[in-house]
Amino acid sequence: MSTPLLERFVSEARELLQGAASSLLVLEKNPHDEAAINDVFRSVHTLKGSVGLFDYPAFTKLVHAGEDVLSSVREGKLALTSDLVDTLLDSLDQVSAWVDDIDGSGVLSQGADGISKEMTARLRAVLPLEFGAEKTPVAEVHTADLTAVDWVQSLPEAERLAAFTAAMNGAEIQAIEYQPLEDCFFNGEDPFILFRQIEALYGLTIEPSEPWAELGVLDPYRCILRFRALSAAPPPEIETLFRYVLEQVRMAQVPVHSLASVSGDLNGGPVYGDFVEEARRLAAAHNWPALRLAVGALLQLTAPGLLLASALRWLEAVLSSPQPNAVWVDALIGCIEKGEVNLQPLTSTTPQAAATKPPESQPAVAPPIPEPPLQTGLGALPPMFARILESQRQILGLPIPEGGLITRLDAVAQTVSNLLAAERRRAADSTAWTEAVDLAVAQNDASPVLDLLDRWLQTAGDQPLPAAQIATDPARSRPEAGEHLAQEIKQASRILKVDQAKVDTLMNLIGELVVSKNSLPFLAKRAEEVHGSREMSREIKDLHAVIDRLAQEMQSAIMAVRMLPVSEVFDRFPRLVRDVARKLGKHIDLVVEGADTAADKNIIESLGDPLLHIVRNSIDHGIESPEERSAAGKPAQATVLLRAFQDSDQVVIEITDDGKGIDPEKIKASALSKGVIDAERAARLSDQDAINLVFTAGFSTAAKVSDLSGRGVGMDVVVNAVEKAGGSVSISSIKGEGTTVRLSLPLSMAVTRVMVVEAGGGMLLGIPMEHISETVRVHRDNVQRFKQSEAFVLREAIVPMIRLDNLLGIPATQWFGDGNEEDAVLVVRIGGNVVGLVVDHFREGMDIILKPFDGILSGIQGYSGSALLGDGRVLLVLNLKELL
Amino acid sequence: MPFKLTKSTVTAEENCTVEDAMPLLEHLIAHPAAKIDLRRCTSLHSAVLQVLLAAQPKAVALPHETFLARWMGPLFAKAGR
């Protein structure tokens, strides 16, 4: 896992795949469900788009094929059959396996290119013609597999022999057909050189794919060559080599027996009757080394051009295997005996072969050599399954020593039932097998088991396997469904989707923990003061330090869970700005910065509407038309900058435009005419204060009401929303140069920072920290009185003084005379006004979990909620905006 | 130029690249009887190979290099040198 982009892709891909799969299932039940088909299509389409960002050609191609199929289905050109659903689901499974690969190692598993090609071909095969036509090379994979065998036959015998010998020693032979694109030379490709890198290459033939043109008109740079070859290299290796031209390469596993053909000069040379007899005897005795010697000796005496020599060479090749195939040896000896040309002397070890040479009719097999089931190494055509069944059948068919049947039956029964389980065969098969075995044991006769095996093999042989399956190397075959499911479960658990309420509960619990933890210092104090144990007190304090640390870590962990990047909100603006700008005929470039700044989910969500409003305001009121801008000497294209960054425990979002800015005089005039302020105040207002008037309720300067903004609700909506989230808004503007609106929000709403003050003779009250600008102590002599109201001078500004006691309706502590005493004054800023709040004492600042009042208390004005203190007392938190 | 082109013989040098295909073709058109000597050739671009296959010049000598010798030998033998 390397980049965040890739991580995001992986989780998104899993989601899409899941969605696509479940919709596909709905579709299967109800093929005309338009919503479902659209769902599937959309998922696959999105997946195709996102995987395109990365370099996974195999993945992209498969998804693309899937998309094409789904698109045809959607357009009604293709009926969605159960088979098709299966194919699609298989493809989805494969893609999902790849997603796991990407998640795990960042690369697709080996052989992905081949699998992709094969599955893509399967998908494309069902497409209506016009789709298939443009992808001919891919769609024709199946036919290629068939013709592959034809040209293999015409390769020189030496090459086939070499490949055959390699196969006898355990290799699998692939036929490769590579038809480069006509313009491949212009892409810097050199097809010929690719073959140089193939290991174990046999029978490379290079032919023109069309008749040569006259030399005079030949275009040497239009490649019409076609390459064909055999190779014993593993398919994934070959695929890797051809990875860039995989569409132009067709590959198929060559059934080993099809390589062999016996031909040559019929005449001359005696019929080697003696040899045939001797060979038969040695073969029957499975005395391969002796037979090998005999063949080698005879081959030296025989003219190479003779038919006999050819047969001997093949016989030698068959014998080069550690476990020669007796049927093939027999067939080749037969060729020598009859002296006839036989282009297909060998057959695959299918039941047909067994039928002509049933094991029962081999009485001469002397000492039964227990053949290890998997070591035949031959008969590549039938899949592994049939091969094992076949060998098990042969084992049973061998003569059995007295009393050995039960042991052998046991072994075979075990192997076959494992096989059935591994292949996920139908339960009926397993039952049939168990029954047959039981019967055989009871009768002390293997025939019921043999019959069953024959029947299975017969059906396996009768149904030619799809070419695609033959071409699949078992080593790279896709994981079986069940295995894959388990993998998916393992992988999918990495990302949890949790109901937000659960996270909230957890957060509340942690909050409670923080509060309970805070009671430990009180306990320590009590231990020391009441019970007189300093040691106890110290231990409690130590413990408190530990729990404190843990609680803080838990708190930040749970915060991190709730954090979202602001891009969640920002992402919708490019589109919005574009639309609005077009509507208004303005040219606007939106620049987004710091989109990955994270904040609590609630904060991010509360940002949406205010931001929308501000951006619309900017575009509607702030930014001039291109003509006006040009006249003012600005570039016609305006810029709106959305910028987010973290400033200590606040997340700050700035919306800056380079429009005409706010004219303070216009604002004043408008405010005056609307009666928001009076003339006297207007005269005193500084420019900044005037600009701040836009936050006042009911204020809007919009000359005309548009559907975008200026509905008279103005910026006060923004202010309310942001303040509700515990943030603040400020605006600065320079006339003619632009406006910046700055939203400042807490990173998290979970914890509120308050200052605890004492009032009303010992009552504890919390005041949200964001309102407090400073704390001062005012000498009582410096308090100025105007009738009922008091004020003091703070740095040459008059600050009105309000006693918190009066505010809360608590009888104020009376104060007599002594002017040397000081009042504790909390200087707070409410909506641009500075007020001095007189309290009894300042206490500490603390983080609290604010609980809003509910029930009948929720109607009480002046309080924003309560919080529990460490010593069990309840702290009331004031809502100064409502109070003042 | 990796080919020495004369009226009677075309002698390939070690490395025959894609650029050599065109001059080679032109030469073989101009001198249909020219024979080709590939003895020293160790690497042959497909485009050159294509020209040789199409023109089927008589080969004086096949490459010594094993890979080319193995696979080009049959090609030219088959063409009835």
Side-chain angles (χ1 to χ4, degrees):
Chain A
M1 225 48 250
S2 43
T3 61
L5 193 63
L6 200 58
E7 274 172 40
R8 204 163 154 170
F9 165 70
V10 166
S11 75
E12 182 191 281
R14 289 214 176 106
E15 229 169 81
L16 288 171
L17 284 169
Q18 201 172 6
S22 50
S23 303
L24 257 182
L25 295 176
V26 173
L27 255 189
E28 196 180 11
K29 285 194 196 112
N30 181 7
H32 302 291
D33 189 334
E34 287 220 348
I37 178 73
N38 283 334
D39 262 0
V40 185
F41 180 76
R42 205 177 311 119
S43 302
V44 174
H45 179 75
T46 313
L47 192 61
K48 186 195 81 172
S50 16
V51 74
L53 297 174
F54 308 97
D55 185 24
Y56 298 122
F59 195 135
T60 315
K61 279 176 197 160
L62 180 54
V63 180
H64 192 146
E67 189 199 6
D68 284 351
V69 169
L70 288 167
S71 153
S72 305
V73 172
R74 195 162 71 146
E75 288 161 20
K77 288 184 190 157
L78 194 62
L80 192 74
T81 60
S82 280
D83 283 350
L84 184 53
V85 170
D86 283 348
T87 313
L88 285 169
L89 284 175
D90 279 354
S91 309
L92 291 181
D93 282 349
Q94 180 55 53
V95 168
S96 152
W98 282 336
V99 170
D100 291 348
D101 287 341
I102 293 172
D103 192 16
S105 58
V107 291
L108 300 185
S109 59
Q110 250 216 334
D113 294 322
I115 298 172
S116 164
K117 194 185 149 196
E118 181 194 304
M119 300 191 79
T120 307
R122 264 168 69 196
L123 285 173
R124 295 235 183 265
V126 303
L127 279 180
L129 269 179
E130 75 258 42
F131 271 103
E134 54 183 63
K135 312 273 179 192
T136 353
V138 182
E140 265 181 12
V141 159
H142 298 278
T143 42
D145 292 338
L146 297 174
T147 53
V149 180
D150 295 351
W151 58 262
V152 165
Q153 289 287 332
S154 58
L155 289 174
E157 187 188 286
E159 296 296 338
R160 281 180 287 125
L161 253 180
F164 188 82
T165 313
M168 285 302 101
N169 290 300
E172 272 178 4
I173 305 299
Q174 302 293 326
I176 306 165
E177 184 172 312
Y178 173 25
Q179 168 97 57
L181 292 179
E182 287 188 351
D183 59 354
C184 71
F185 295 151
F186 295 99
N187 303 335
E189 285 167 20
D190 186 355
F192 188 40
I193 213 108
L194 284 172
F195 285 91
R196 209 182 258 270
Q197 298 167 48
I198 298 183
E199 275 175 57
L201 182 69
Y202 308 104
L204 171 64
T205 48
I206 306 164
E207 292 166 336
S209 56
E210 56 188 75
W212 291 114
E214 285 288 311
L215 272 198
V217 293
L218 180 78
D219 177 359
Y221 295 123
R222 189 173 75 94
C223 181
I224 57 167
L225 295 176
R226 181 174 58 208
F227 296 79
R228 284 166 165 170
L230 297 178
S231 170
E237 231 171 74
I238 301 174
E239 277 157 13
T240 316
L241 197 60
F242 286 105
R243 61 191 173 281
Y244 297 113
V245 292
L246 212 56
E247 292 82 10
Q248 300 137 41
V249 175
R250 285 173 274 180
M251 232 164 58
Q253 190 178 336
V254 180
V256 181
H257 64 87
S258 70
L259 288 170
S261 72
V262 176
S263 61
D265 201 345
L266 283 175
N267 303 324
V271 174
Y272 288 81
D274 293 353
F275 169 78
V276 171
E277 219 165 87
E278 171 75 2
R280 280 258 150 86
R281 197 180 55 75
L282 289 170
H286 285 217
N287 190 349
W288 308 125
L291 187 55
R292 232 170 264 155
L293 276 179
V295 169
L298 188 61
L299 195 52
Q300 288 202 329
L301 297 172
T302 315
L306 292 182
L307 174 80
L308 176 62
S310 166
L312 284 174
R313 281 192 294 266
W314 284 107
L315 188 52
E316 196 178 33
V318 171
L319 289 172
S320 70
S321 159
Q323 292 287 330
N325 182 320
V327 178
W328 291 0
V329 170
D330 198 62
L332 285 166
I333 296 174
C335 276
I336 298 169
E337 189 179 22
K338 289 177 227 147
E340 62 187 22
V341 174
N342 189 342
L343 291 178
Q344 276 291 358
L346 306 185
T347 45
S348 64
T349 14
T350 49
Q352 285 88 343
T356 51
K357 278 238 145 260
E360 288 89 336
S361 69
Q362 284 184 325
V365 182
I369 304 166
E371 222 179 306
L374 287 173
Q375 250 186 327
T376 57
L378 296 173
L381 179 64
M384 195 65 102
F385 184 67
R387 241 153 67 184
I388 298 176
L389 282 186
E390 173 73 15
S391 59
Q392 294 300 320
R393 196 204 174 289
Q394 275 171 0
I395 290 173
L396 276 181
L398 294 170
I400 294 156
E402 202 67 60
L405 178 69
I406 301 299
T407 341
R408 194 172 293 175
L409 206 53
D410 222 349
V412 171
Q414 194 57 46
T415 314
V416 175
S417 22
N418 286 347
L419 194 64
L420 291 173
E423 289 284 330
R424 300 179 182 284
R425 295 288 294 231
R426 301 185 305 272
D429 283 349
S430 299
T431 325
W433 176 248
T434 323
E435 276 168 18
V437 170
D438 288 347
L439 193 63
V441 172
Q443 295 176 350
N444 199 21
D445 178 12
S447 52
V449 178
L450 282 176
D451 289 346
L452 184 61
L453 279 178
D454 277 346
R455 210 165 64 229
W456 280 349
L457 284 169
Q458 201 63 50
T459 39
D462 287 345
Q463 294 167 347
L465 286 139
Q469 198 171 337
I470 298 168
T472 313
D473 172 2
R476 67 185 168 98
S477 72
R478 284 168 292 118
E480 284 298 324
E483 198 182 316
H484 179 244
L485 202 66
Q487 221 174 39
E488 198 172 52
I489 290 165
K490 200 176 74 203
Q491 294 283 346
S493 59
R494 292 255 193 90
I495 286 184
L496 277 181
K497 283 193 154 181
V498 184
D499 186 356
Q500 201 194 329
K502 289 184 182 169
V503 177
D504 288 350
T505 314
L506 192 58
M507 195 163 68
N508 284 340
L509 287 174
I510 293 173
E512 303 284 358
L513 182 71
V514 171
V515 171
S516 340
K517 165 214 78 178
N518 286 343
S519 64
L520 283 176
F522 290 96
L523 186 64
K525 211 167 150 195
R526 262 173 68 83
E528 193 173 338
E529 287 174 3
V530 181
H531 303 289
S533 167
R534 289 197 65 146
E535 211 173 320
M536 189 71 182
S537 159
R538 207 174 56 242
E539 275 178 31
I540 294 173
K541 276 179 188 158
D542 286 351
L543 194 62
H544 172 248
V546 175
I547 298 176
D548 190 31
R549 182 172 56 80
L550 287 176
Q552 268 175 24
E553 276 175 21
M554 279 171 84
Q555 207 170 354
S556 50
I558 200 75
M559 298 294 189
V561 170
R562 293 175 50 97
M563 288 293 200
L564 282 181
V566 288
S567 58
E568 293 278 333
V569 196
F570 280 8
D571 281 352
R572 60 171 134 150
F573 283 105
R575 178 75 200 280
L576 175 114
V577 169
R578 188 186 147 273
D579 289 353
V580 174
R582 277 171 67 99
K583 206 166 177 178
L584 297 173
K586 297 177 178 176
H587 303 312
I588 298 168
D589 181 26
L590 178 76
V591 182
V592 175
E593 279 181 25
D596 55 355
T597 311
D600 189 271
K601 186 166 181 287
N602 289 352
I603 300 286
I604 295 291
E605 279 164 0
S606 67
L607 264 176
D609 288 345
L611 265 184
L612 198 68
H613 207 91
I614 296 168
V615 171
R616 278 182 170 170
N617 258 332
S618 274
I619 299 173
D620 202 6
H621 304 311
I623 288 170
E624 318 90 321
S625 65
E627 300 84 76
E628 283 177 66
R629 289 181 67 85
S630 302
K634 293 185 191 176
Q637 170 139 323
T639 308
V640 172
L641 171 69
L642 267 182
R643 193 159 84 99
F645 57 93
Q646 197 177 329
D647 185 6
S648 68
D649 60 349
Q650 300 266 302
V651 53
V652 180
I653 293 173
E654 284 182 355
I655 303 95
T656 307
D657 66 55
D658 61 353
K660 59 184 173 226
I662 297 171
D663 185 349
E665 294 312 317
K666 233 165 127 184
I667 299 280
K668 281 185 202 170
S670 170
L672 259 177
S673 67
K674 288 194 171 97
V676 178
I677 51 170
D678 50 33
E680 194 192 334
R681 187 153 168 233
R684 278 190 286 115
L685 277 180
S686 69
D687 283 356
Q688 180 62 47
D689 288 341
I691 289 171
N692 284 346
L693 280 175
V694 297
F695 292 139
T696 325
F699 184 92
S700 176
T701 53
K704 61 173 190 222
V705 171
S706 70
D707 65 335
L708 295 168
S709 52
R711 279 160 299 188
V713 280
M715 292 292 279
D716 56 322
V717 177
V718 174
V719 177
N720 282 344
V722 172
E723 282 185 351
K724 218 162 126 193
S728 60
V729 187
S730 66
I731 187 167
S732 63
S733 181
I734 298 170
K735 197 186 162 195
E737 282 178 28
T739 310
T740 298
V741 180
R742 192 178 155 113
L743 309 183
S744 201
L745 289 143
L747 277 180
S748 158
M749 298 217 288
V751 171
T752 316
R753 189 146 183 86
V754 296
M755 173 137 193
V756 181
V757 295
E758 226 175 88
M763 220 169 103
L764 288 184
L765 293 163
I767 293 172
M769 212 56 120
E770 66 248 25
H771 288 304
I772 298 171
S773 56
E774 60 188 301
T775 58
V776 288
R777 287 188 178 274
V778 181
H779 215 270
R780 283 190 179 159
D781 285 346
N782 294 343
V783 175
Q784 314 291 324
R785 292 173 167 277
F786 310 96
K787 297 185 180 162
Q788 293 300 312
S789 47
E790 295 172 307
F792 70 102
V793 178
L794 179 67
R795 287 188 293 275
E796 298 175 356
I798 295 171
V799 177
M801 249 167 112
I802 296 171
R803 296 192 177 268
L804 194 53
D805 292 352
N806 294 340
L807 216 52
L808 298 176
I810 304 166
T813 5
Q814 288 305 310
W815 165 60
F816 303 102
D818 186 359
N820 288 328
E821 293 227 1
E822 289 177 330
D823 270 337
V825 179
L826 206 57
V827 182
V828 295
R829 186 180 285 274
I830 312 289
N833 298 318
V834 179
V835 175
L837 215 53
V838 184
V839 297
D840 291 356
H841 295 289
F842 298 129
R843 298 284 287 265
E844 67 277 20
M846 61 166 69
D847 289 331
I848 54 149
I849 314 279
L850 186 64
K851 299 256 196 260
F853 290 143
D854 51 19
I856 48 165
L857 293 178
S858 59
I860 295 179
Q861 292 283 305
Y863 296 95
S864 47
S866 65
L868 206 60
L869 292 180
D871 57 358
R873 281 197 282 172
V874 172
L875 179 74
L876 290 173
V877 179
L878 300 178
N879 183 340
L880 291 183
K881 269 197 78 146
E882 283 177 3
L883 270 180
L884 293 173
Chain B
M1 171 60 73
F3 281 106
K4 258 188 246 155
L5 305 169
T6 67
K7 245 188 231 174
S8 60
T9 328
V10 175
T11 312
E13 296 288 316
E14 285 165 9
N15 191 6
C16 305
T17 64
V18 65
E19 281 87 13
D20 305 321
M22 201 54 172
L24 176 66
L25 177 67
E26 279 162 3
H27 187 82
L28 288 175
I29 292 172
H31 308 280
K35 297 187 174 115
I36 177 119
D37 180 352
L38 294 169
R39 196 185 328 248
R40 293 174 59 192
C41 179
T42 53
S43 151
L44 195 68
H45 192 277
S46 308
V48 179
L49 181 72
Q50 180 168 281
V51 169
L52 290 178
L53 282 177
Q56 286 295 342
K58 291 205 163 101
V60 179
L62 286 171
H64 275 192
E65 197 263 339
T66 24
F67 179 83
L68 293 180
R70 183 169 171 198
W71 302 119
M72 290 191 62
L75 289 176
F76 284 84
K78 225 166 48 176
R81 165 158 34 131

